[in-house]
Amino acid sequence: MPIRLLQDMECSGKTVVIRQDLNVPMKDGRITNDKRIRAALPGIRMALDKGAGVILLSHLGRPTEGVVEEKFSLAPVAAHLSGLLGRPVKLAADLDAAKAAPGEVVLLENIRFFKGEKKNDPALAARLAALGDIYVMDAFGAAHRAHASTAGVAAYLPAVCGYLVQKEVSIMG
């Protein structure tokens, strides 16, 4: 079965939900290595160039699932990503705030702050899927996990591989 890719999808006017691996090392609330954020840029830019609004999903660290812990907030990642993209990246604290018009980028707060993520809760997966029209798996390092944001969403939306996953698959042959 051929792998479906983001570049093959019609995205204009749609919202693309992208699972990224933005789990970067932090010290005292500052990013100490932004390699993973920079690696995510081509996939994000591809969706934006195709006329989509983008909602990003990621985890950071190992917070207790369902508990908001400030030290695991993705706020520094959103700010850093804004600078790299040259456009605002809004941090959405909850699912109701996660809306992206074409050309906009929204980063949902740490996905592990949401109860049911690690157990691949179908209700959470459906709520995440309701955020968009197309699901892109671009977090190769998290793709082996059957979580709501990595596997569950794909049951509800057309699912495709992003730039990073495509690159890793091609390297593996």
Side-chain angles (χ1 to χ4, degrees), residues 11-15 47-48 50-54 87 99-105:
C11 298
S12 183
K14 296 183 179 178
T15 302
L48 291 169
K50 290 174 78 56
V54 175
R87 68 176 74 212
K99 295 181 184 2
E104 293 180 341
V105 180

Side-chain angles (χ1 to χ4, degrees), residues 44-67:
I44 297 167
R45 286 188 177 126
M46 183 185 300
L48 291 169
D49 290 347
K50 290 174 78 56
V54 175
I55 296 178
L56 302 172
L57 309 176
S58 185
H59 74 280
L60 179 66
R62 296 177 184 258
T64 302
E65 186 181 76
V67 178

Side-chain angles (χ1 to χ4, degrees), residues 105-172:
V105 180
V106 173
L107 174 59
L108 183 64
E109 187 53 278
N110 192 330
I111 194 64
R112 293 196 179 155
F113 289 176
F114 297 86
K115 197 156 186 70
E117 161 64 1
K118 290 171 76 175
K119 293 189 191 296
N120 193 8
D121 177 60
L124 177 59
R127 291 188 69 206
L128 292 170
L131 299 175
D133 304 297
I134 299 168
Y135 172 72
V136 179
M137 171 43 95
D138 211 18
F140 185 78
H144 67 285
R145 295 186 176 106
H147 292 173
S149 70
T150 58
V153 176
Y156 298 94
L157 288 176
V160 299
C161 289
Y163 175 78
L164 288 172
V165 170
Q166 177 187 355
K167 182 177 163 186
E168 292 289 343
V169 169
S170 71
I171 288 170
M172 291 188 303

Side-chain angles (χ1 to χ4, degrees), residues 15-52:
T15 302
V16 175
V17 178
I18 306 176
R19 178 53 160 96
Q20 292 285 2
D21 184 1
L22 304 175
N23 185 23
V24 294
M26 306 270 285
K27 183 172 182 177
D28 300 323
R30 295 181 165 258
I31 297 165
T32 59
N33 183 330
D34 71 350
K35 184 177 179 180
R36 288 182 178 167
I37 298 171
R38 289 182 182 276
L41 294 175
I44 297 167
R45 286 188 177 126
M46 183 185 300
L48 291 169
D49 290 347
K50 290 174 78 56

Side-chain angles (χ1 to χ4, degrees), residues 55-86:
I55 296 178
L56 302 172
L57 309 176
S58 185
H59 74 280
L60 179 66
R62 296 177 184 258
T64 302
E65 186 181 76
V67 178
V68 175
E69 298 178 64
E70 190 62 34
K71 69 180 181 179
F72 296 116
S73 173
L74 284 167
V77 174
H80 192 74
L81 194 52
S82 291
L84 293 173
L85 287 171

